[in-house]
Amino acid sequence: MMKLCSDCRYFRPFTHTQDDGHCTHPALEWTHPVSGAKRFPLAFTQRNSITGCGMNAQYWEYSPGSPSEPDTQEDMG
C-alpha cells in the first residue's frame, strides 16, 4: 500500500482544495528571505522531489486517526 501524504502526521491540507497541502516536517521548513516568516513546501512538490521526501516517502510518519498503517493493513481479499 502506498504511503499517502494525507495519512502523514506532517500533512496540513489546504482549506480551498483537497488535492494538496503543506508538508510541515521540521527538516523541510524554510525562512522567507523577505518577510522572515516560516514556510513549508507543498506536499506534492516534496513527493516529486529527488532531494525532498520523494516517492519513497522518507519523512512519512503515520498520523493517528488515519486508516491503518500501510505495513499492517490486512488483506481484504
Side-chain angles (χ1 to χ4, degrees), residues 5-6 8-15 20-24 40-41 43 63:
C5 291
S6 60
C8 180
R9 70 179 292 193
Y10 298 112
F11 180 71
R12 298 295 176 270
F14 293 145
T15 55
D20 204 358
H22 289 284
C23 179
T24 63
F40 293 97
S63 177

Side-chain angles (χ1 to χ4, degrees), residues 2-3 7 11-13 19-20 31-32 39 41 44 47 49-50 52 55-57 62 64-69 73 76:
M2 182 179 209
K3 293 180 177 177
D7 296 331
F11 180 71
R12 298 295 176 270
D19 291 335
D20 204 358
T31 302
H32 192 282
R39 300 285 190 218
F44 182 83
R47 285 305 290 273
S49 173
I50 295 170
M55 292 307 289
N56 63 349
Y62 174 70
S66 290
S68 300
E69 290 187 65
Q73 201 168 41
M76 299 296 285

Side-chain angles (χ1 to χ4, degrees), residues 46-65:
Q46 283 305 304
R47 285 305 290 273
N48 286 302
S49 173
I50 295 170
T51 59
C53 192
M55 292 307 289
N56 63 349
Q58 74 174 357
Y59 297 128
W60 190 91
E61 289 183 30
Y62 174 70
S63 177

